[in-house]
Amino acid sequence: MSRADETTAQPAETPDEAQSIGETTPLPRRFLATASGPVTRITDHGDETTERVRAEISIEHSIETLEEFTTFWNFRDLRSWKQAALESLLEKQEPDAVTYAVNEDDLEEWDVTVDGRVEAFAGLIETMADYTGRDPACRDVVPHRIAARINGLTDGRRSTDDVLEEFADELSRAELWEPGAHLTLLNVKHAHHEDIEQLAASLARTLSDDGGAE
């Protein structure tokens, strides 16, 4: 594996700047990405000296736009999902003078997750359903599959519950995503009077296993 890897952080646009050029769609409730593990922090001091320090770091990053949500949604099926998610998070952490190196052994020790409350998933679907009236070109910044779901919602071919269940189902099967997706799926199925006994038992086992690992 190439390292996850001396990734140079880039200055982030402010929400107002990004929104003004039509690149972001705010979500009403955030999702939260968390990660922790070992790195080599590489600092360029600008006088031809470079400092390399081993460190343990923790990251908390709020996912507050539709476009950034789709970035982490895209990681769900990747074989290298942990590396991809970690690279995305590390890019947001430090100024340009700092880079990180994460070797393959380091990566094994990293815990990287994304989670959101049921309300966050509901807010995601509300945002997609309210996309009507925005510049259609803005849909080019989200993956085709999500753009198709937006189109289905805004033209009435899909219900909000249908799309909510799709997201919850696919993310509940992804290692990156935490129990919020399971709870959302359980909530939707319960609202539709579907049998949730097996799903609830599976979620209880997942939460029990997570607790035992701590």
Side-chain angles (χ1 to χ4, degrees), residues 114-132:
V114 179
D115 204 3
R117 296 181 180 276
V118 173
E119 293 85 358
F121 282 94
L124 166 71
I125 307 306
E126 291 167 7
T127 299
M128 293 170 64
D130 290 341
Y131 223 73
T132 304

Side-chain angles (χ1 to χ4, degrees), residues 25-28 66-67 69-70 73 120-134 139 142-155 158-160 163-164 166-167 170:
T25 308
L27 297 174
L66 172 62
E67 291 75 18
F69 169 86
T70 66
W73 174 86
F121 282 94
L124 166 71
I125 307 306
E126 291 167 7
T127 299
M128 293 170 64
D130 290 341
Y131 223 73
T132 304
R134 290 179 59 83
R139 303 187 186 194
V142 299
H144 173 76
R145 189 167 169 186
I146 289 184
R149 292 176 185 177
I150 291 173
N151 291 334
L153 285 166
T154 56
D155 66 16
R158 306 289 304 281
S159 74
T160 54
V163 178
L164 179 60
E166 276 189 88
F167 275 113
E170 65 194 4

Side-chain angles (χ1 to χ4, degrees), residues 197-212:
E197 183 176 348
Q198 184 174 353
L199 183 61
S202 176
L203 176 58
R205 287 194 299 272
T206 297
L207 294 174
S208 177
D209 290 344
D210 288 346

Side-chain angles (χ1 to χ4, degrees), residues 21-68:
I21 56 176
E23 290 186 352
T24 64
T25 308
L27 297 174
R29 301 168 191 87
R30 70 173 184 166
F31 293 83
L32 184 65
T34 60
S36 60
V39 297
T40 299
R41 181 185 288 118
I42 304 167
T43 305
D44 180 1
H45 290 290
D47 57 359
E48 299 185 356
T49 62
T50 301
E51 179 185 22
R52 302 173 70 94
V53 178
R54 292 291 292 170
E56 294 274 340
I57 66 171
S58 296
I59 299 168
E60 280 196 1
H61 175 70
S62 291
I63 299 169
E64 299 180 351
T65 68
L66 172 62
E67 291 75 18
E68 190 171 21

Side-chain angles (χ1 to χ4, degrees), residues 6-13 87-99:
E6 302 190 2
T7 302
T8 302
Q10 298 295 326
E13 290 178 319
E87 287 180 349
S88 179
L89 291 171
L90 287 175
E91 288 175 359
K92 307 174 190 301
Q93 297 311 301
E94 297 284 357
D96 290 346
V98 177
T99 57

